Amino acid sequence: MTMAPVLQTEIPGLAVRRGKVRDVFDLGEQLLLVASDRISAFDWVMPNGIPDKGRILTQLSAFWFDLLQVPHHLLSLDVDSISLPATVDRGPLRGRSMICRKANIVPIECVVRGYLEGSGWKEYRQNQAVCGVELPAGLQQCDRLPEAIFTPATKEESGHDINITFSQMVDLIGQETADQLKLLSLGVYERAAKHALTRGVIIADTKLEWGWHDGKLILCDEVLTPDSSRFWPADRYQSGRAQPSYDKQFVREWLEQSGWDKNSPPPVLPDDVAQQTRAKYLEALERLTGKSL
């Protein structure tokens, strides 16, 4: 039985910053990242959420942090281990919260692509390159690339992130940090993609966030979820067309057909669209981790 979506969490007395999906509470020396069930599409947050989405994202991120064996910000998932005001109902927080190290976030979205889709496919058709990385001629939509490529983007407060070249990234954060981020990000993608293939899932691309903690770069935020990555069922993969995927495709498709103009507040999602989206997120979790909620 699914629970009602958790759209917002409150902890009286704690400073909070709300993103499209996460409520981030300041615990002093640590942060509490709470993944809500909010869902966004076309740069808008929908008025209703996807049941259990935040719990799925949290469980999947925790799985990857453990598997990848790279320095990261996650300390614990046990919300009962921290001191909170006595009036706080911890129920809505359980299963969707990560207690994390604080880090100085690098202002770059570290995108790695193993397949040609999305903004990368659009850019390739214009100039046979993605973020300045030249690619072979004649590639089709969703083709596997000869090797994974690092294609950074700026972090924008609103709207879409903007793709940049590696040299532009160097100008923003320096050569040494840029080189480290490229190496780390490609390593994470390659290890994750190798595992996913053993589970029948293609990771087409992913977006990673890194931050500085005690002089080291550590992996932050969520990692390798359907919100930050393209996951495709390997047994249905066929280049030259868009792929079925484990993400919010049902939400996007319904919105495209709804008559919504994408410039005014979005309509409420029908229950069947929300439930189908939940099922896709849950299937991604089960296939990749071998576990359910």
Side-chain angles (χ1 to χ4, degrees), residues 78-248:
D78 183 9
V79 78
D80 293 313
S81 69
I82 56 174
S83 176
L84 294 175
T87 55
V88 172
D89 178 7
R90 296 177 190 244
L93 303 175
R94 292 190 183 103
R96 62 178 68 248
S97 297
M98 298 195 298
I99 301 154
C100 300
R101 297 177 177 89
K102 283 187 171 180
N104 185 17
I105 299 299
V106 179
I108 297 290
E109 296 286 5
C110 292
V111 180
V112 181
R113 303 173 191 270
Y115 293 74
L116 194 55
E117 180 58 305
S119 64
W121 168 236
K122 182 178 180 182
E123 201 173 325
Y124 172 82
R125 282 182 293 168
Q126 292 171 343
N127 55 26
Q128 203 182 303
V130 182
C131 295
V133 180
E134 292 188 14
L135 294 171
L139 295 179
Q140 299 185 79
Q141 182 181 12
C142 295
D143 265 354
R144 183 175 181 176
L145 298 174
E147 61 181 9
I149 60 173
F150 180 74
T151 58
T154 60
K155 290 173 69 69
E156 299 297 318
E157 288 299 317
S158 61
H160 286 292
D161 300 327
I162 300 169
N163 289 351
I164 58 174
T165 64
F166 185 75
S167 62
Q168 288 174 309
M169 176 180 171
V170 169
D171 290 341
L172 289 170
I173 63 172
Q175 186 75 54
E176 185 177 352
T177 301
D179 286 341
Q180 283 188 67
L181 288 172
K182 179 178 179 179
L183 187 66
L184 286 167
S185 299
L186 285 167
V188 164
Y189 174 80
E190 285 159 6
R191 288 193 294 278
K194 186 177 179 181
H195 166 81
L197 274 179
T198 69
R199 308 291 304 182
V201 176
I202 290 170
I203 303 179
D205 53 44
T206 195
K207 180 169 64 176
L208 304 169
E209 185 167 287
W210 300 86
W212 289 102
H213 175 77
D214 284 348
K216 276 200 214 167
L217 284 167
I218 64 172
L219 191 54
C220 297
D221 197 34
E222 64 176 348
V223 59
L224 293 153
T225 74
D227 272 12
S228 64
S229 315
R230 283 188 176 87
F231 295 143
W232 299 336
D235 59 358
R236 298 175 65 189
Y237 170 72
Q238 182 182 333
S239 68
R241 60 165 173 81
Q243 309 298 311
S245 60
Y246 300 110
D247 62 12
K248 43 191 164 188

Side-chain angles (χ1 to χ4, degrees), residues 10 21 23 38 51 109 129 151 162 168 209 214 240 250 253 287:
E10 304 284 351
V21 172
D23 297 338
R38 298 191 293 270
E109 296 286 5
T151 58
I162 300 169
Q168 288 174 309
E209 185 167 287
D214 284 348
F250 292 110
E253 287 171 4
R287 291 192 71 162

